[in-house]
Amino acid sequence: QQPFGIPREESLVLALDIGPITLDPAIAQESQSIQYIRQIFDGLVTLDDELNVVPDLATWEVSEDGLTYTFTIDSAARFHDGSSVEASDVVFSWERAADPELESPTVRTYLGDIVGVADVLAGTADSISGLEVVDQSTLKVTIDSPKSYFLSKLTHTVASVVERDNVETGRGSWWLEPVGTGPFEVGEWIPDVAMHLQRHAGYHGEPAGVP
């Protein structure tokens, strides 16, 4: 069989996979969803083949006291609809993940070191005080104490960058037609039957090996 009429030599087919439960990076916590989310969305950093933390959407510098991380977003980074990725997109994504109404099961573990995340989770603040947009491509992140593993936490899918317009326009079902920044974007999806991911032509990193 050729799902969606795509030639077998041009695709990787996961024939026994039942597909994702959700494509929302902030609430996913099981591998069958996360394996798709990682193809569709990016975070500021990622892991290489040897599990070293390396830049994804951004490079970074750390202050001498280990409390402030300054991220510079890759000027080539684009969402699947062609719009540029900006520092404000990261803030929106992380504040959304920390919104207590979303009930993210992973945000406290992976983003909880950032100053102000606990306040948002508790409902005593609407914004994360430890995030500062310096300009369109620069984000300062302040954590509560020096932690050598902080960047490793940011490789989790809960730290993925989502597009504000996509989320707000699609409301609760936005992730059925997600707009990410990853190497693949969703083509056609028949839930519980099959999903087609196609290569993101404007991907900022190395292009995917299959179309």
Side-chain angles (χ1 to χ4, degrees):
Q1 292 184 349
Q2 294 181 325
F4 304 112
I6 301 169
R8 210 36 98 78
E9 65 271 15
E10 295 182 4
S11 60
L12 169 65
V13 180
L14 305 178
L16 300 179
D17 182 29
I18 63 173
I21 294 174
T22 178
L23 291 178
D24 186 340
I27 63 175
Q29 57 181 329
E30 28 60 49
S31 61
Q32 70 190 70
S33 292
I34 289 174
Q35 67 175 328
Y36 288 92
I37 289 170
R38 287 201 175 281
Q39 304 305 320
I40 300 167
F41 297 95
D42 291 316
L44 296 181
V45 297
T46 189
L47 297 174
D48 65 13
D49 292 340
E50 298 180 351
L51 301 183
N52 298 307
V53 178
V54 294
D56 194 345
L57 290 174
T59 56
W60 68 87
E61 294 181 355
V62 187
S63 61
E64 290 188 6
D65 61 9
L67 294 177
T68 302
Y69 290 71
T70 302
F71 293 94
T72 302
I73 297 174
D74 187 345
S75 60
R78 296 287 186 277
F79 286 102
H80 295 153
D81 62 5
S83 58
S84 299
V85 180
E86 300 181 358
S88 59
D89 294 311
V90 183
V91 174
F92 169 77
S93 301
W94 292 0
E95 289 185 340
R96 173 184 177 269
D99 185 337
E101 291 188 3
L102 192 64
E103 297 183 340
S104 169
T106 56
V107 66
R108 188 181 299 275
T109 299
Y110 294 98
L111 298 183
D113 298 322
I114 301 173
V115 173
V117 166
D119 296 326
V120 175
L121 283 168
T124 58
D126 294 326
S127 60
I128 299 174
S129 58
L131 301 181
E132 177 189 351
V133 174
V134 178
D135 55 42
Q136 288 187 345
S137 62
T138 310
L139 176 68
K140 283 189 176 182
V141 180
T142 302
I143 58 178
D144 53 17
S145 63
K147 294 168 183 174
S148 60
Y149 51 79
F150 174 66
L151 284 175
S152 297
K153 286 188 171 186
L154 295 187
T155 65
H156 192 275
T157 53
V158 73
S160 299
V161 179
V162 299
E163 187 187 57
R164 182 171 194 151
D165 185 62
N166 179 215
V167 172
E168 294 184 341
T169 301
R171 299 183 182 276
S173 60
W174 70 273
W175 54 268
L176 293 174
E177 298 182 11
V179 176
T181 61
F184 286 94
E185 55 187 290
V186 176
E188 186 175 356
W189 182 14
I190 306 173
D192 300 321
V193 178
M195 172 183 282
H196 163 220
L197 298 182
Q198 59 192 17
R199 185 163 53 197
H200 172 29
Y203 185 55
H204 65 280
E206 182 176 350
V210 292

